[in-house]
Amino acid sequence: MAASPRRLYLIRHAIAAERGPDWPDDGQRPLTKRGAQRMAQVMNGFARLGESIDLILTSPLTRAVQTAAIVADALGRRPPVRVLPALAPGFETSRAAAAMATAARTAHHVALVGHEPDLGQLAAWLIGAREPLPFKKGGICRIDATRWPPGQSNQLVWLATPKMLRR
């Protein structure tokens, strides 16, 4: 009997403070109050889909870590959140996939919280697409992986904008 596929949820961080003199270190930019509120609404929609997450892996940047905390808080059974440096902006797709596979060795429903354009490129790589998938801030997609570590032949199950999930 074949094992059920692992579920990967790729989540772009929520709306963050604008770049500029208030935040000279881009890695420290926090979510805005509106961004945090909207992400909580997105996760309410996610919960209504009946999806579950066992582990959350996040970029080390503040806005991603804060988004990961909102994701965890919104789920009934709060999954562990771990920082994965390989998800920082500018990551190499295959290295990020390998690091994720190692970090999530035993988890079956894994969320990755990160940034554009990297998440879109990772999603495309995971499903064997030529063009990156578009992720709005707070957007989520689900990809099912039949092998672990995942290669480039996985299935995109759904891609939802934050507006869709908030409704």
Side-chain angles (χ1 to χ4, degrees), residues 26-40:
D26 185 55
Q28 298 300 314
R29 286 192 300 125
L31 297 181
T32 63
K33 182 178 179 181
R34 180 175 179 246
Q37 290 170 339
R38 284 184 163 226
M39 192 68 210

Side-chain angles (χ1 to χ4, degrees), residues 4-159:
S4 62
R6 293 186 190 218
R7 294 180 182 176
L8 303 176
Y9 299 96
L10 280 60
I11 304 171
R12 185 175 178 194
H13 68 78
I15 301 166
E18 292 294 324
R19 294 179 193 212
D22 289 343
W23 299 102
D25 180 351
D26 185 55
Q28 298 300 314
R29 286 192 300 125
L31 297 181
T32 63
K33 182 178 179 181
R34 180 175 179 246
Q37 290 170 339
R38 284 184 163 226
M39 192 68 210
Q41 293 169 345
V42 164
M43 289 310 299
N44 286 337
F46 178 87
R48 284 192 302 274
L49 294 175
E51 304 280 356
S52 65
I53 296 173
D54 302 326
L55 173 66
I56 301 169
L57 301 173
T58 181
S59 156
L61 277 62
T62 299
R63 57 193 177 273
V65 171
Q66 290 175 332
T67 300
I70 293 168
V71 170
D73 288 343
L75 301 169
R77 184 187 54 81
R78 194 176 201 280
V81 176
R82 294 191 193 132
V83 171
L84 188 65
L87 293 176
F91 65 72
E92 182 183 323
T93 304
S94 59
R95 280 193 175 173
M100 177 266 305
T102 300
R105 195 175 328 239
T106 59
H108 287 275
H109 300 159
V110 181
L112 307 175
V113 180
H115 314 270
E116 275 290 83
D118 306 296
L119 276 182
Q121 293 166 350
L122 177 60
W125 185 86
L126 286 166
I127 63 172
R130 291 183 183 202
E131 296 295 322
L133 275 62
F135 280 85
K136 293 197 175 277
K137 291 177 182 167
I140 304 175
C141 84
R142 175 179 150 191
I143 296 173
D144 284 1
T146 54
R147 294 180 332 172
W148 205 256
Q152 295 181 278
S153 59
N154 304 289
Q155 180 181 9
L156 174 65
V157 177
W158 53 261
L159 171 64

